[in-house]
Amino acid sequence: MSTTSVPPKVRALRAAGRTGQYVALLVFLVFLAFPLLWLVSTSFKSPQELGSINPTWLPTDAGLDNYRAAFDTQPLLRSALNSLIVAVSSSVISVSIAVPAAYVMVRHKTRVSQAGTVWILVSQMFPFVLVIIPLFLVLKNLHLINSLTGLIIVYVVWNLPFSLWMLQGYVTSVPRSLEEAAAMDGAGRLRTLVSVVLPLLTPGLVATLMFSFVTAWNEFFFALVLLKSPENQTMSVILTRFLGAEGVVDLGPLAAASVLATIPSLLFFALLQRRLVDGMLSGAVKG
């Protein structure tokens, strides 16, 4: 039906519906962005503004004093490097293990793969507090307490079930006919997985990497219990040091450090976002 044959009332209703959608999307974006904007605004406020009973939306006397104080009082660069090492290593390792495991679980339905699916579901039901004591004892016997290696292993094990669960859906969407055609051309299982399946899994790989990275970067409980030395602690643990012994929060430096802590996640998402879109388009064309 051409647009000229559509009645004016119908066109007006459609335009109003689109306008309502845009307004709802704008409100949702403002709702999501407000905490971050308020955090950034707070990080630039002076102690006088932070102590005022009538807080302002924007700092009237903006400065970098809170950022200087944050760097002077706590080892932010070292903790950020620790968090980066742990997050990148654990996310890459977990996805590298999850890709072939998800492929086998989808393409080869056996009792082992069914047991793996059950393990995925059951593992998500255990709270952190329930496993922390036996986990601590195991890592202590392996001499991995207070080490980034031990924390990386914990994050790999903790992220692996969700990574497997996500990638199984993407593997299922890959047509078997493509693998059969590759087999007819003489490609083996490994060659088929690398050359045929992996390019079509790009959206799933990127989404899983982003989830694993953000989870490991923001995780607090395991890092607090397993890391004792200040030089080994991650960013999430260092942020708690801005809370005084009497419960007094050093709000300005804490806001500045929190802003710095969100930057790596935003950069990581920005770097992988293009790969995610390109992979979705590529998968749509190849499918």
Side-chain angles (χ1 to χ4, degrees), residues 52-79:
S52 175
I53 60 175
N54 296 317
T56 58
W57 290 95
L58 298 176
T60 57
D61 187 17
L64 298 176
D65 294 338
N66 291 326
Y67 289 89
R68 296 191 189 97
F71 278 103
D72 292 340
T73 56
Q74 302 297 338
L76 294 182
L77 292 179
R78 180 63 185 178
S79 63

Side-chain angles (χ1 to χ4, degrees), residues 260-287:
L260 297 175
T262 61
I263 292 177
S265 297
L266 296 177
L267 291 178
F268 189 77
F269 178 78
L271 291 174
L272 293 183
Q273 183 184 23
R274 182 176 180 83
R275 297 283 303 184
L276 177 62
V277 176
D278 291 345
M280 293 177 64
L281 295 177
S282 175
V285 173
K286 291 181 181 180

Side-chain angles (χ1 to χ4, degrees), residues 19 189 227 244:
T19 303
R189 290 287 186 181
L227 301 177

Side-chain angles (χ1 to χ4, degrees), residues 28-197:
F28 183 66
L29 290 176
V30 171
F31 174 77
L32 292 179
F34 175 77
L36 181 59
L37 296 177
W38 183 260
L39 183 66
V40 174
S41 175
T42 303
S43 67
F44 289 102
K45 290 182 179 180
S46 63
Q48 291 75 18
E49 290 182 84
L50 294 174
S52 175
I53 60 175
N54 296 317
T56 58
W57 290 95
L58 298 176
T60 57
D61 187 17
L64 298 176
D65 294 338
N66 291 326
Y67 289 89
R68 296 191 189 97
F71 278 103
D72 292 340
T73 56
Q74 302 297 338
L76 294 182
L77 292 179
R78 180 63 185 178
S79 63
L81 179 60
N82 293 337
S83 293
L84 187 63
I85 293 174
V86 170
V88 172
S89 301
S90 61
S91 59
V92 171
I93 293 174
S94 61
V95 171
S96 300
I97 297 174
V99 169
Y103 179 77
V104 171
M105 292 174 67
V106 172
R107 292 294 189 248
H108 303 280
K109 296 293 185 180
T110 62
R111 292 185 178 180
V112 176
S113 63
Q114 293 175 356
T117 303
V118 174
W119 168 71
I120 292 174
L121 297 176
V122 173
S123 63
Q124 300 303 303
M125 301 178 184
F126 290 98
F128 290 172
V129 179
L130 187 63
V131 300
I132 190 60
I133 295 179
L135 179 63
F136 184 89
L137 295 177
V138 170
L139 293 178
K140 182 180 179 180
N141 293 331
L142 296 175
H143 304 286
L144 291 176
I145 295 295
N146 195 31
S147 71
L148 297 183
T149 302
L151 190 62
I152 290 173
I153 294 175
V154 171
Y155 288 167
V156 169
V157 175
W158 197 257
N159 285 330
L160 190 57
F162 188 84
S163 300
L164 279 170
W165 186 261
M166 285 189 65
L167 290 175
Q168 280 189 72
Y170 286 94
V171 173
T172 305
S173 65
V174 176
R176 285 181 177 267
S177 58
L178 296 178
E179 301 176 42
E180 295 172 355
M184 293 179 62
D185 292 337
R189 290 287 186 181
L190 182 60
R191 180 65 181 276
T192 301
L193 177 61
V194 174
S195 301
V196 178
V197 178

